Amino acid sequence: MTTAIYEDKVLGTGAARPPLVTRPLLLRFAVTLGASISFYLLLSVVPVYAAAAGAGGNAAGLATGALMFSTVAGELVTARLTARYGYRLTLAAGLILLGAPALALTGPANLTVVMAVCIVRGLGFAVTVVAGGAITASLRSEERRVGKECRSR
């Protein structure tokens, strides 16, 4: 891998810039891809499944609304969860909440089960987005962060 030499604007010295993409960041990208696939594959299917449960188009809208409402509510409490349990544990819990409830949809169509799955998956998606974004930001080296010149003064 090549290293770039850059000029430090404050000190005026050349230094080797660390690589932009590191192994931990690649792993984080893989987790993001997997979580996104898990979320978006069922995003359009679950409302159809809910409508097939016998409640018609209203159930489809209710399923989507429950998912979105729980996502917004989950984003509001994720900061407290990460402060208490840390980013990694919170992210792991979010990934489990996002993926595991989908297994309940393999059974017969039941509107109550569909709504519960949507609520839990929405919470998992919220936690995954918030905690995952914070982990991604923390994986950047100090030299690669924006505003480095301002902190050096």
Side-chain angles (χ1 to χ4, degrees):
M1 184 175 286
T2 62
T3 58
I5 304 297
Y6 70 100
E7 189 71 21
D8 191 318
K9 293 180 182 178
V10 176
L11 300 176
T13 60
R17 185 177 277 194
L20 182 62
V21 180
T22 59
R23 184 177 185 280
L25 191 60
L26 281 175
L27 292 173
R28 174 64 191 128
F29 289 160
V31 167
T32 302
L33 180 66
S36 296
I37 289 171
S38 170
F39 179 74
Y40 290 115
L41 277 178
L42 291 179
L43 186 62
S44 62
V45 175
V46 170
V48 175
Y49 186 74
N58 291 338
L62 189 61
T64 304
L67 178 78
M68 293 298 124
F69 179 77
S70 66
T71 299
V72 172
E75 287 176 347
L76 296 174
V77 300
T78 301
R80 289 188 185 123
L81 292 173
T82 56
R84 182 172 181 153
Y85 299 109
Y87 289 112
R88 288 184 182 195
L89 186 60
T90 306
L91 177 61
L95 290 170
I96 291 169
L97 290 174
L98 180 61
L103 296 174
L105 297 176
T106 59
N110 181 349
L111 190 58
T112 306
V113 172
V114 172
M115 292 305 133
V117 166
C118 286
I119 291 170
V120 174
R121 283 179 45 88
L123 291 172
F125 184 66
V127 171
T128 301
V129 168
V130 174
I135 286 177
T136 303
S138 72
L139 291 175
R140 302 305 320 133
S141 65
E142 192 66 33
E143 293 83 13
R144 287 278 187 181
R145 293 190 183 163
V146 175
K148 174 186 174 284
E149 292 84 15
C150 295
R151 286 193 302 267
S152 299
R153 291 184 184 171

